[in-house]
């Protein structure tokens, strides 16, 4: 599911050329996730790492992770009923 979340985030990424010829990428809803690179490909690679780190830190801190395209990484802390 984590890989699907990354792919959904990449599909929603916005890339912008910067004045110095490099590129910047952000993903709506993932506040603070910013990537840069000399090329779009480098920027995309940096974005993957930024998303992975952002999600890992958020999960570790117990912060809610926004769902993207219906993919929700949040886990419930409530016990699930066992049906026999």
């Amino acid at each position: 599911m984590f890989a699907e979340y990354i792919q959904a985030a990449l599909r929603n990424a916005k890339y912008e050329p910067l004045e110095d010829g490099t590129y910047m990428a952000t993903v709506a809803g993932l506040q603070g996730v910013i990537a840069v690179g000399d090329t779009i490909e480098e920027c995309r690679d940096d974005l993957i790492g930024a998303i992975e780190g952002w999600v890992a830190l958020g999960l570790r801190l117990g912060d809610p992770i926004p769902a993207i395209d219906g993919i929700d990484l949040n886990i419930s802390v409530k016990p699930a009923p066992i049906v026999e």
Side-chain angles (χ1 to χ4, degrees):
M1 177 174 288
F2 189 69
E4 289 86 0
Y5 187 88
I6 298 291
Q7 290 302 311
L10 292 175
R11 285 191 301 273
N12 287 281
K14 303 293 183 209
Y15 296 87
E16 297 178 40
L18 300 176
E19 291 179 10
D20 65 357
T22 61
Y23 294 88
M24 177 183 74
T26 58
V27 179
L30 303 186
Q31 186 175 355
V33 173
I34 299 173
V36 293
D38 290 334
T39 65
I40 294 252
E41 292 80 15
E42 286 180 16
C43 188
R44 184 178 188 275
D45 289 343
D46 190 48
L47 183 59
I48 291 169
I51 295 166
E52 289 173 344
W54 187 87
V55 169
L57 180 61
L59 291 173
R60 182 174 182 143
L61 296 175
D63 294 339
I65 306 299
I68 299 178
D69 294 347
I71 301 170
D72 189 351
L73 295 180
N74 296 290
I75 53 176
S76 174
V77 293
K78 296 179 184 177
I82 297 175
V83 179
E84 294 182 28

